[in-house]
Amino acid sequence: QHLLFDGSLGGIGSSGEQDPALDLRDVVTGKPLAPSEATDIFTHRVDFFNAATDVDYFVQAVEACERNFSEKILASRETEQSGLEKQAAEAHESQDQEQTLPAKEYLYRNIIPALMPALEACQRDRPPDPVEFIALYMLRHSKQYSKSLRG
């Protein structure tokens, strides 16, 4: 983590825009960060009087920024974890829903979409052994369909 100390950090230039001397970006995505997102995490505005009178001013400022950064990481992990849990719950619900489908509906949703190209080729070519033809077609063209049919 890099930390910038400056006494003139206000985030807003004289024209009301973000300070052009400071370009803060997210490390992972490369997207610009708003000054409010970086304040007391990556940047710290120095209070000159306290910096001159308190020997531990910068140590305390670094500790506070590190604490804020850790809290931000924990919050993002909790958000990510809750998103993963939500996806897992939706997948489980979808799986439960598929288990309760009637047999015909299950076949129409899961099997027919994968078999349709093979069945069309079989109908077009009319081979002497259609079951073997469909099996070989599925083996030769395995990349045309997803084995789980979930894209």
Side-chain angles (χ1 to χ4, degrees):
Q1 173 183 350
H2 296 283
L3 187 59
L4 176 66
F5 286 97
D6 194 345
S8 63
L9 282 178
I12 306 296
S14 58
S15 63
E17 298 175 357
Q18 181 177 343
D19 189 355
L22 192 58
D23 184 20
L24 301 169
R25 296 192 176 266
D26 185 89
V27 175
V28 178
T29 63
K31 293 180 180 176
L33 289 175
S36 60
E37 294 178 43
T39 302
D40 292 329
I41 295 175
F42 301 111
T43 62
H44 179 78
R45 186 170 185 167
V46 177
D47 179 359
F48 293 118
F49 179 75
N50 285 333
T53 58
D54 186 1
V55 176
D56 294 328
Y57 176 79
F58 288 104
V59 173
Q60 292 168 357
V62 168
E63 288 173 353
C65 288
E66 287 177 346
R67 186 174 44 256
N68 292 339
F69 185 66
S70 296
E71 289 171 3
K72 181 179 178 181
I73 290 173
L74 290 174
S76 69
R77 285 184 184 165
E78 288 173 2
T79 303
E80 182 180 307
Q81 185 66 23
S82 67
L84 291 174
E85 289 172 359
K86 184 178 179 182
Q87 287 177 348
E90 288 172 358
H92 185 68
E93 182 179 307
S94 168
Q95 189 177 25
D96 287 346
Q97 186 180 22
E98 291 218 353
Q99 294 296 326
T100 61
L101 286 175
K104 188 175 182 179
E105 184 68 26
Y106 175 79
L107 292 173
Y108 276 117
R109 283 191 184 184
N110 297 306
I111 305 302
I112 298 299
L115 282 177
M116 192 53 84
L119 293 172
E120 289 172 349
C122 184
Q123 185 273 330
R124 182 187 63 234
D125 295 347
R126 309 243 177 186
D129 187 359
V131 174
E132 182 181 359
F133 178 86
I134 291 171
L136 290 173
Y137 183 93
M138 297 292 286
L139 289 172
R140 278 185 300 220
H141 299 93
S142 63
K143 292 184 179 159
Q144 286 185 350
Y145 64 93
S146 169
K147 290 180 179 69
S148 66
L149 292 175
R150 303 199 197 300

